[in-house]
Amino acid sequence: MAAGRSLSRSERKAAARVEFLRQEEQRERRRQVVPGGQKSRRGGASRGAGLGNTPPFPSSLFPSFDQVSRILRKPAADRSADEAMLLSGCQEMVRDLERLRKKRERLRRRLEEVCDEPDELKRKVSKLSAVVQGAKHLIVYTGAGISTAASIPDYRGPNGVWTMLQKGRSIRVTDLSEAEPTLTHMSIACLHNNKLVKHVVSQNCDGLHLRSGLPREALSELHGNMYIEVCTSCTPNREYVRIFDVTERTALHRHQTGRLCHKCGAQLRDTIVHFGEKGILQQPLNWEAATEAASKADVILCLGSSLKVLKKYPHLWCMSKPPRHRPKLYIVNLQWTPKDDLAVLKLHGRCDDVMKLLMDELGLPIPSYDRMKDPIFSLAVPLQPAEESSHSRKPVAPPTSLHEVQLGEEQQMHPDPPSGGWFGRGCAKGTKRKKNS
């Protein structure tokens, strides 16, 4: 999904994850425990009271949240006798603090990136290779992690979009026109050409699967494609593939690109599915093929996805089937995912590293990306003369040296970084667009 200007419910929930712990600690600091059997303002018994009506120490010395927290941070051997007695007198507060600490630690561990040792990773890849060769219907689910090698940030990694926003840090602007299919993209396309992969379901909007040569019928881009705009007034919908990012003027619940259908004259719209939206377009989302492939799958390979969004699509996991009849799950990701416990095998490694080892095991050479064979140039619909000024995005460089020279000159003349669009909106969250006078 793409980052929008205004935060949806899902985004707010994700952004509040870290904020929750800070707020919880502040609430506890404001809560002064009342000694003995005295009632609090809520009408309940005191949280810090002992078993009887008499506190184990004078009320003037009754511990605060901060005092207990500081003592608990000390090793048990370093605590004084008075501190040990103080803790024994407020066991409920101690239990609350321990629960909070464990929850904070659990969240921290889930955000950590873990890499398997080289020998361990090779051992796991060898197992995965046997599974890939023996699978009758293998499908691949991909996330932002397979595009980080193309300098496109992910969302939940240490430097991901949501991670940086939660920390209140700015996001670097990325020129997506310069991104090329990675080793993982090319490996997946090769596996499909060799009939080892039946279908690919992607959460990515960057269009790199399409540009790797993967056939359209074998691809479901559940959250859209930044290079495709459609006319929904035509039946069937008329699709326009461009060589530039069509989302410059679009955002959450605002999808019109400013260009018109060449046939009926209606407004074109982008294909991006933002957080909080439901994808309704047949293409490039291709939900029908995705659910059909999932129903036939005996193996699912997840590459570079946190699965926090994909887990919400039950049709992709065949949850209506008995557990023993569901496809076997294999996950490649550096961080924890909510499907880890269901996976037959979890490989902690970077997608390019794992796919290189896998292709070596399978004895398949990984094709290099060739701009001359990039399907986007043959699929692209040229702009009409009146539409040339409808965008300011840098196009994908055509496979000719002349155009590369021209684009280099244009880049020197227009050095400003791109803004807006499905990725840029998330980077510029909170800013307001100035109206042209």
Side-chain angles (χ1 to χ4, degrees), residues 93 198 226 255 309:
M93 186 187 295
K198 302 300 183 184
M226 60 180 271
H255 293 276
V309 174

Side-chain angles (χ1 to χ4, degrees), residues 340-414:
D340 283 356
D341 292 340
L342 301 177
V344 176
L345 186 65
K346 171 73 178 291
L347 295 86
H348 297 92
R350 301 189 184 281
C351 292
D352 278 7
D353 296 340
V354 171
M355 293 306 293
K356 186 177 187 308
L357 291 172
L358 177 61
M359 298 298 279
D360 288 342
E361 284 277 342
L362 295 171
L364 295 174
I366 303 172
S368 299
Y369 167 69
D370 186 352
R371 194 174 292 267
M372 291 291 293
K373 299 178 181 179
D374 193 327
I376 197 171
F377 298 110
S378 60
L379 294 172
V381 177
L383 294 174
Q384 294 182 344
E387 297 176 320
E388 291 293 340
S389 61
S390 65
H391 76 98
S392 61
R393 289 299 173 87
K394 179 181 174 182
V396 177
T400 62
S401 58
L402 175 61
H403 278 281
E404 289 174 0
V405 171
Q406 291 174 343
L407 287 172
E409 294 174 351
E410 290 177 4
Q411 189 173 8
Q412 292 179 359
M413 294 173 59
H414 306 286

Side-chain angles (χ1 to χ4, degrees), residues 230-413:
V230 298
C231 173
T232 54
S233 296
C234 289
T235 304
N237 292 350
R238 186 172 297 272
E239 191 175 75
Y240 294 81
V241 178
R242 308 295 192 183
I243 59 172
F244 57 89
D245 181 0
V246 303
T247 68
E248 183 176 5
R249 302 182 182 182
T250 67
L252 179 68
H253 304 312
R254 193 173 72 246
H255 293 276
Q256 292 186 349
T257 63
R259 286 172 289 276
L260 304 178
C261 177
H262 297 177
K263 182 178 177 73
C264 71
Q267 283 275 351
L268 298 181
R269 58 155 293 167
D270 70 8
T271 60
I272 304 301
V273 181
H274 294 268
F275 279 99
E277 295 181 334
K278 183 178 180 179
I280 57 174
L281 297 175
Q282 183 175 356
Q283 291 290 347
L285 279 56
N286 203 9
W287 264 106
E288 183 178 353
T291 53
E292 182 181 356
S295 68
K296 297 178 180 178
D298 59 340
V299 176
I300 297 175
L301 174 60
C302 298
L303 296 171
S305 172
S306 69
L307 300 181
K308 292 181 180 178
V309 174
L310 280 183
K311 73 171 184 179
K312 299 178 181 179
Y313 302 141
H315 293 300
L316 297 182
W317 307 102
C318 304
M319 299 306 292
S320 60
K321 294 183 179 180
R324 65 182 181 277
H325 292 153
R326 293 173 192 167
K328 302 295 187 294
L329 178 61
Y330 294 80
I331 299 174
V332 179
N333 205 52
L334 291 170
Q335 294 177 312
W336 171 90
T337 81
K339 291 287 186 179
D340 283 356
D341 292 340
L342 301 177
V344 176
L345 186 65
K346 171 73 178 291
L347 295 86
H348 297 92
R350 301 189 184 281
C351 292
D352 278 7
D353 296 340
V354 171
M355 293 306 293
K356 186 177 187 308
L357 291 172
L358 177 61
M359 298 298 279
D360 288 342
E361 284 277 342
L362 295 171
L364 295 174
I366 303 172
S368 299
Y369 167 69
D370 186 352
R371 194 174 292 267
M372 291 291 293
K373 299 178 181 179
D374 193 327
I376 197 171
F377 298 110
S378 60
L379 294 172
V381 177
L383 294 174
Q384 294 182 344
E387 297 176 320
E388 291 293 340
S389 61
S390 65
H391 76 98
S392 61
R393 289 299 173 87
K394 179 181 174 182
V396 177
T400 62
S401 58
L402 175 61
H403 278 281
E404 289 174 0
V405 171
Q406 291 174 343
L407 287 172
E409 294 174 351
E410 290 177 4
Q411 189 173 8
Q412 292 179 359
M413 294 173 59

